[in-house]
Amino acid sequence: MSTDPQHTPAPQHSPVPTPRTESGTTHRDVVSFVRRGERLSQGHQRAWDRLSPRYVLDPPRGRRDTLPAEGVRLDVEEEFGRRAELVVEVGSGLGDNILAAALAHPERDHLAVEVYLPGLAQTLSKVDRAGRPENLRLLPLDAQRALPAMLPEGSISQLWVFFADPWPKARHHKRRLINPPFLDAVLPLLADGGAFRLATDWAGYAHHMRRQLDPRPELALLHPEGPAPEGGSSDPIPENMERTGWAPRFEGRVKTGFEKKGRAAGRLIWDLAYTRVPRRPVPDGDSGLEAPAEP
């Protein structure tokens, strides 16, 4: 990682005051996550102490401990010691998916983005038991704000968001991850032809994601004729839910506790997959996007 030499970062764990506006009122960014208690068990603390220097990226922080300092960049080739495709999972939880992917695809590099410290520590415990693969790193920052600041455009070959918090109450919908601010931040990072894969066990959130993602000119459905999952669901399915455009279950996705809980509660699993429409030179008055090719 490189930093702006003119910036003196705040210590990682120092308290950072909540910023205030010119009027003196407190300003809070809308985020899609809640910072929960971060006490670690003895075993997870030992895993953190042993492996975090090797696996957890620790850039200088900005005004909050989930934000990178201004000018921080991530040199992926330097970090992994090679040039390879980069898979990024946002909200990696306990690390099951990204670790399984790193083990199954040693030819790729993998970045887990997660703000929940116990989840990162559990990921490190699993990394230890799995033989410590070299093609995995963890980033404990807010993905929406960190990734576009730290990575160059077109550098991600696959972007995964599995079972993000659905924030089911209407007044909380602005906190949902799949909303314009997140998409505006991360879609430029997808390489031409790159895959954006998502899954949820909440029908209302699945419908919300389709309404946000389908109109994006940067994206095209990978399975435009794919049927909706079959069966009944314990949560209400919107009457105008899309009947096609759903992806089959992604074989690279491990069945985590989130998916198991959703199924146990009687909910369906909704998979989505998009491809990044190839860019082209931008003449005056043009969008710079190719028309989606027929699958």
Side-chain angles (χ1 to χ4, degrees):
M1 285 174 289
S2 61
T3 62
D4 181 346
Q6 301 301 315
H7 179 83
T8 302
Q12 176 180 349
H13 300 295
S14 63
V16 180
T18 303
R20 293 182 175 271
T21 63
E22 291 182 359
S23 63
T25 58
T26 299
H27 170 77
R28 298 184 185 276
D29 294 330
V30 175
V31 295
S32 63
F33 56 86
V34 173
R35 299 300 296 273
R36 294 167 284 179
E38 296 194 336
R39 286 189 64 182
L40 301 182
S41 68
Q42 289 184 353
H44 291 152
Q45 185 65 59
R46 287 194 296 268
W48 181 269
D49 293 341
R50 276 198 317 273
L51 297 180
S52 62
R54 177 176 175 184
Y55 284 97
V56 180
L57 305 180
D58 187 23
R61 301 304 201 267
R63 59 190 175 89
R64 292 186 180 176
D65 65 352
T66 58
L67 301 179
E70 184 178 354
V72 172
R73 300 290 182 267
L74 173 60
D75 188 327
V76 176
E77 292 184 28
E78 179 180 353
E79 182 63 44
F80 288 98
R82 64 177 183 176
R83 177 177 295 183
E85 291 188 359
L86 179 65
V87 176
V88 175
E89 183 179 11
V90 173
S92 56
L94 306 184
D96 296 291
N97 277 302
I98 202 72
L99 175 57
L103 294 171
H105 294 278
E107 77 283 1
R108 300 186 319 209
D109 293 328
H110 300 79
L111 180 64
V113 186
E114 176 59 64
V115 296
Y116 184 44
L117 179 60
L120 294 169
Q122 290 192 52
T123 301
L124 291 176
S125 294
K126 294 171 184 177
V127 165
D128 201 13
R129 294 194 296 270
R132 304 188 182 185
E134 293 288 348
N135 60 334
L136 174 64
R137 297 293 185 273
L138 315 180
L139 182 65
L141 298 181
D142 176 357
Q144 178 177 314
R145 294 158 178 83
L147 291 178
M150 298 177 70
L151 292 176
E153 182 173 316
S155 58
I156 297 175
S157 63
Q158 292 192 48
L159 179 64
W160 299 348
V161 178
F162 298 141
F163 300 95
D165 192 328
W167 292 102
K169 295 181 180 179
R171 69 176 183 270
H172 292 155
H173 285 184
K174 63 184 178 181
R175 290 184 174 273
R176 287 174 165 175
L177 183 66
I178 304 304
N179 267 323
F182 176 74
L183 299 176
D184 292 343
V186 301
L187 291 184
L189 305 180
L190 265 178
D192 290 352
F196 188 13
R197 300 186 181 278
L198 311 97
T200 183
D201 61 324
W202 287 82
Y205 194 29
H207 180 54
H208 168 86
M209 292 195 296
R210 289 294 300 270
R211 286 185 296 157
Q212 296 296 325
L213 294 166
D214 285 5
R216 300 291 301 210
E218 313 97 313
L219 298 175
L221 283 162
L222 275 174
H223 303 275
E225 303 302 322
E230 297 180 352
S233 185
S234 61
D235 62 330
I237 298 177
E239 292 183 1
N240 57 343
M241 176 71 91
E242 294 79 359
R243 296 182 180 274
T244 60
W246 303 99
R249 189 186 191 284
F250 176 43
E251 293 181 357
R253 194 180 80 239
V254 174
K255 188 175 288 187
T256 65
F258 290 106
E259 182 170 353
K260 292 175 183 177
K261 288 179 182 178
R263 287 195 175 278
R267 296 191 293 270
L268 295 172
I269 307 301
W270 305 82
D271 275 85
L272 280 170
Y274 295 83
T275 184
R276 178 52 159 95
V277 174
R279 302 162 176 84
R280 57 184 171 85
V282 185
D284 290 341
D286 202 338
S287 68
L289 298 175
E290 295 281 5
E294 292 294 329

